[in-house]
Amino acid sequence: MVQPPWILKSNLLRVVIDTMDTRNLDLGLLVTLETLLSERNVTRAARRLNLSQPALSARLARLREALGDPLLIPGQRGMILTQRALELMQPLHEALEGVRRVVEQGAPFNPETLRATVVIAASDYVQYALLARYSVVLRAEAPMIRIAWRALDVMALTTQLERGEVDLALARPETAPAGMRQCRLYEEEYVVVARQGHPAVRGVLDLDLFCALDHVVVSTRGSGFAGPTDAALEAIGRRRTVALSTSGFLIVPEIVSRSDMIAVIPRRIADGWSDRVQVLEPPLHIPCFAIASIWHDRTTNHPAQSWLRDRLAALA
């Protein structure tokens, strides 16, 4: 017979506890252990748990004694997990998530009393276009929430979501790791920006001039010189001149406003600079792109996480 999820989580927790000397352990110590394994850093873990560093060090000593294992040991680039710690990490996290769901299902959800830290991974473009407004809304509706933005790292996203290092990622749907949940938020289109008073650009831009002018292009690697615009140009047998490559969108309007270079950027960024640059329609079709919220399935039914995602979707 297939066991319900809450029984499976309880079994996982029992496996974790049975391997310890449980006489001096409680649920608080298990939460401490989960945070230490996630952060791999005593200072950061203490901050998350609202404990002093000496108090957390004392808890770590108790955990080491109960488990008979050092758990975290010094490495060349900070602390690393022992093999025993690595074995405990996933079942402990899943078990505690099950406990949290059981507790939260019986309590009414109230954003005004929500005490939580939400970590959102996004590019600089999404931080500017959506997260800035979203964070203001969250603080107004849930005044005790803490919000952490971090740079989007698509290659590390699966691990970050699985470990709970990131609660929500905002990215193009096609970059979502396999097996993750997602919700499409909005579609974005590209526009061309040129500085006010540009000697060659006066409110309109034809294809010949577009290709002749020097361009700024955004490459996440900071060294690429091609993007969606170049693919669209190649499809019609044309090329442009790329003079500068940057790793983020937010610096591009500043560069354009101080030079005779032009750039193709998302409209949501360009609109914020409309008093300092010309915002023009591209002289060719450049496919738009979508932004989606991405999360791990373990948080799908979590009341607070569900509310956070719903508020984001409504705002977007």
Side-chain angles (χ1 to χ4, degrees), residues 59 65 158 200 212-213 217 230 248:
R59 289 192 179 193
E65 182 179 359
T158 297
L213 293 173
V217 71
D230 301 279

Side-chain angles (χ1 to χ4, degrees), residues 257-308:
S257 70
R258 294 169 176 263
S259 71
D260 287 339
M261 290 185 283
I262 65 172
V264 177
I265 62 175
R267 182 179 290 278
R268 281 171 172 79
I269 292 181
D271 285 347
W273 282 75
S274 58
D275 60 334
R276 285 163 285 182
V277 298
Q278 302 177 64
V279 180
L280 312 163
E281 294 300 322
L284 76 163
H285 173 67
I286 305 171
C288 62
F289 64 91
I291 293 296
S293 56
I294 302 164
W295 68 94
H296 194 281
D297 188 52
R298 62 182 173 75
T299 66
T300 294
N301 297 319
H302 189 284
Q305 294 284 344
S306 179
W307 177 79
L308 289 166

